[in-house]
Amino acid sequence: MYINEPSVIVGVNQNIFAEVNVPYLRENDIKLVRRSSGGGAVYHDMGNLIFENIVVGDTDDDAEWGNYSVFAQPILDALHELGATDAELRGRSDLVVNDHKFTGMTMVKSGDAYAAGGTLMFDMNLDAASQALHPVESRINGKWVKSNRSNIENIRLHLAPEYQNLSSEAFKEQLLLKLFHVEKLSDIETYHLSDKDWQIIDERLAEQYRTDDWNYGENPGFNRYRFKEFAGGRLALNLKVEGTTITKVAVYGDLLDEKLAHKLETQLTGASLTAEDLSHRLSKRWLKKELSDEEITALVQSY
């Protein structure tokens, strides 16, 4: 669990200039970092906690790839102990209170290991978040893009009165004590990064995560962006189009789970930009479980 300086973290496939107010970031010295997992853009500052679970191999606690509830429940239990008794999991990966989102979660896999975690808004600057995640570009590749904004709220004022005036660091400490069911932090088994660990981290930062090619990049290699909001959720697509053929696709948003998003990527790769071919490729039974015929037609027309 850690706290970041002001920064915007974007998903691996996101179009920076469609999701982020880049001039605002530069004017206010807010860092931009592209993570190696999917999901949407999030704002971090000193009032925001990030929690991460790293799972290697099989476990005996029902932790499994794609199951967000296993990792959400300990956070919710701790928040309930701190007084936020209305906090709950909504959908696959959002924690909400008062019908407003205060935490979004994501996962990334590597070999037989994966990381599962998210952001937790304790006392985040909501105005700065709104400014940073409001794109200047309102029209991309000839298509209007509807802004993707969730109703968000800090959890601080939903805690018991004795916890509402804590600093972010003190809140993090209380959350850890409740998570591990201990009375002091020294009772929690802790791994301290070695000099070798920091050397590897610094090398990866220098080679990738601090480079403009990775963070701003060429989106990475896509040249079209489409965003649609449906009754069941939001769907964003990055496309590489060569001539009249879609040669590369990345799908994200909260409408489809990861498995279905990959199926849609495969389905659209190689498609011709004609209503006939797109309609044929999108008229699959598994997709019709998520979208109505009218919504599929609207998706086809957006190309």
Side-chain angles (χ1 to χ4, degrees), residues 81-83 159-166 174:
E81 283 195 65
L82 293 171
L159 302 175
E162 61 267 32
Y163 299 115
Q164 291 185 6
N165 294 319
L166 295 177
Q174 287 299 319

Side-chain angles (χ1 to χ4, degrees), residues 32-50:
L32 176 77
V33 179
R34 188 188 294 275
R35 62 180 176 269
S36 54
S37 61
V42 293
Y43 176 80
H44 291 176
D45 64 14
M46 301 301 286
N48 186 77
L49 305 185
I50 301 94

Side-chain angles (χ1 to χ4, degrees), residues 49 59 62 86 88-89 98 100 127 183 248 268 295 298:
L49 305 185
T59 71
D62 295 325
D86 291 337
E88 61 181 349
L89 176 67
N98 190 30
H100 284 66
D127 181 65
E183 294 187 358
K248 183 179 178 182
L268 288 175
E295 289 174 327

Side-chain angles (χ1 to χ4, degrees), residues 7-303:
S7 53
V8 168
I9 317 299
V10 299
V12 65
N13 292 314
Q14 284 194 282
N15 183 319
I16 297 302
F17 297 98
E19 310 282 348
V20 178
N21 185 341
V22 175
Y24 179 83
L25 266 59
R26 290 172 173 165
E27 290 166 9
N28 292 275
D29 194 28
I30 299 170
K31 301 293 188 291
L32 176 77
V33 179
R34 188 188 294 275
R35 62 180 176 269
S36 54
S37 61
V42 293
Y43 176 80
H44 291 176
D45 64 14
M46 301 301 286
N48 186 77
L49 305 185
I50 301 94
F51 60 94
E52 200 77 59
N53 302 271
I54 299 173
V55 181
V56 181
D58 295 327
T59 71
D60 57 3
D61 60 358
D62 295 325
E64 60 181 359
W65 172 256
N67 187 352
Y68 288 95
S69 63
V70 170
F71 303 99
Q73 197 58 53
I75 295 290
L76 290 171
D77 290 343
L79 290 173
H80 292 167
E81 283 195 65
L82 293 171
T85 55
D86 291 337
E88 61 181 349
L89 176 67
R90 183 178 66 189
R92 286 186 294 271
S93 59
D94 289 344
L95 304 187
V96 301
V97 66
N98 190 30
D99 203 34
H100 284 66
K101 177 177 173 179
F102 66 88
T103 291
M105 299 177 66
T106 187
M107 292 191 185
V108 60
K109 194 171 182 63
S110 178
D112 69 339
Y114 65 94
T119 58
L120 197 165
M121 294 183 292
F122 170 64
D123 192 24
M124 191 176 75
N125 185 331
L126 298 180
D127 181 65
S130 177
Q131 292 283 346
L133 299 178
H134 180 76
V136 173
E137 301 285 350
S138 60
R139 188 174 169 88
I140 296 176
N141 297 315
K143 293 287 184 179
W144 290 103
V145 178
K146 185 174 180 180
S147 181
N148 175 7
R149 305 287 164 251
S150 298
N151 290 326
I152 59 176
E153 186 169 345
N154 285 312
I155 194 67
R156 181 173 65 86
L157 295 180
H158 296 275
L159 302 175
E162 61 267 32
Y163 299 115
Q164 291 185 6
N165 294 319
L166 295 177
S167 67
S168 297
E169 194 64 40
F171 170 66
K172 182 183 79 170
E173 179 175 333
Q174 287 299 319
L175 199 62
L176 285 167
L177 295 178
K178 298 296 187 291
L179 280 167
F180 286 92
H181 310 291
V182 296
E183 294 187 358
K184 55 185 185 297
L185 291 182
S186 58
D187 292 334
I188 302 173
E189 183 178 358
T190 303
Y191 175 82
H192 297 279
L193 296 172
S194 67
D195 289 342
K196 178 63 175 176
D197 293 329
W198 281 113
Q199 180 185 344
I200 294 170
I201 291 168
D202 289 340
E203 287 173 355
R204 290 181 180 174
L205 287 173
E207 292 169 359
Q208 179 170 344
Y209 294 104
R210 280 187 179 146
T211 65
D212 283 348
D213 281 348
W214 170 256
N215 292 319
Y216 291 87
E218 297 181 3
N219 182 33
F222 299 101
N223 55 19
R224 291 199 186 186
Y225 173 82
R226 296 292 181 266
F227 174 80
K228 298 291 289 183
E229 188 154 8
F230 300 105
R234 298 172 292 272
L235 184 67
L237 300 98
N238 269 330
L239 308 168
K240 183 175 183 180
V241 177
E242 299 181 69
T244 59
T245 302
I246 300 173
T247 59
K248 183 179 178 182
V249 185
V251 175
Y252 57 99
D254 59 7
L255 176 68
L256 304 177
D257 63 24
E258 186 177 27
K259 182 178 179 180
L260 292 181
H262 285 317
K263 286 184 73 171
L264 183 56
E265 289 170 353
T266 301
Q267 199 68 22
L268 288 175
T269 301
S272 171
L273 289 179
T274 64
E276 182 181 7
D277 192 23
L278 289 171
S279 296
H280 172 70
R281 289 172 180 264
L282 295 174
S283 62
K284 301 301 177 184
R285 185 177 302 173
W286 59 267
L287 188 58
K288 289 187 174 184
K289 290 181 179 179
E290 310 294 333
L291 295 174
S292 68
D293 289 341
E294 292 78 10
E295 289 174 327
I296 290 175
T297 298
L299 184 59
V300 170
Q301 291 174 344
S302 71
Y303 289 89

